[in-house]
Amino acid sequence: MEWRATAGNHQIDRMTAVLPSDCVIKSNLEEFSPLTVYSTGFRYPTASGKVMKAPDEDVTRKWIEQATELVTVFVRHFQVDVTNDDAVAGSTSPFRSKDCGKIDP
C-alpha cells in the first residue's frame, strides 16, 4: 500500500491525509491523529529512560467512545458479522456517499 511507504505504520495523520476528500469518515479518523505519539511512546522509553505520560481519563474515554462509534459504522457499512470468527465482508464499497454512515461530530 502506498501509505505505508510514505507514512509508516504509526503516523495516523499521514495515513488519513492520503484518503480521498470525498471519504465521508475522513474527518472522524483525523480526530485520532493525537494518538500517533502514543503508538510508540509507551513502547519505547526515551534515551533517559522516561516513558510518556498517559492521556487523562476524559481524553481516553472520548477516544474509546469515538472508536466504538467508528467500529459500529464499519460493521454496518461493510456488513460484517463480528460474532463470526470467519466472517467475510458483505460489502467492500468505499465510504464515498453521504449514506455511508458518517458520524456527525
Side-chain angles (χ1 to χ4, degrees), residues 12-56:
I12 297 169
D13 55 342
R14 291 187 183 177
M15 288 187 282
T16 55
V18 298
L19 292 172
S21 59
D22 61 345
C23 177
V24 296
I25 62 165
K26 183 175 182 174
S27 64
N28 302 101
L29 295 170
E30 289 170 337
E31 292 181 27
F32 291 93
S33 290
L35 290 172
T36 298
V37 297
Y38 294 103
S39 63
T40 57
F42 290 112
R43 292 171 50 195
Y44 309 108
T46 65
S48 64
K50 294 181 181 178
V51 177
M52 237 180 131
K53 180 183 171 198
D56 70 37

Side-chain angles (χ1 to χ4, degrees), residues 70-93 95:
L70 277 174
V71 169
T72 301
V73 169
F74 295 153
V75 167
R76 183 174 56 237
H77 178 77
F78 294 113
Q79 302 168 12
V80 176
D81 178 2
V82 295
T83 63
N84 179 351
D85 289 342
D86 297 321
V88 176
S91 171
T92 58
S93 64
F95 285 95

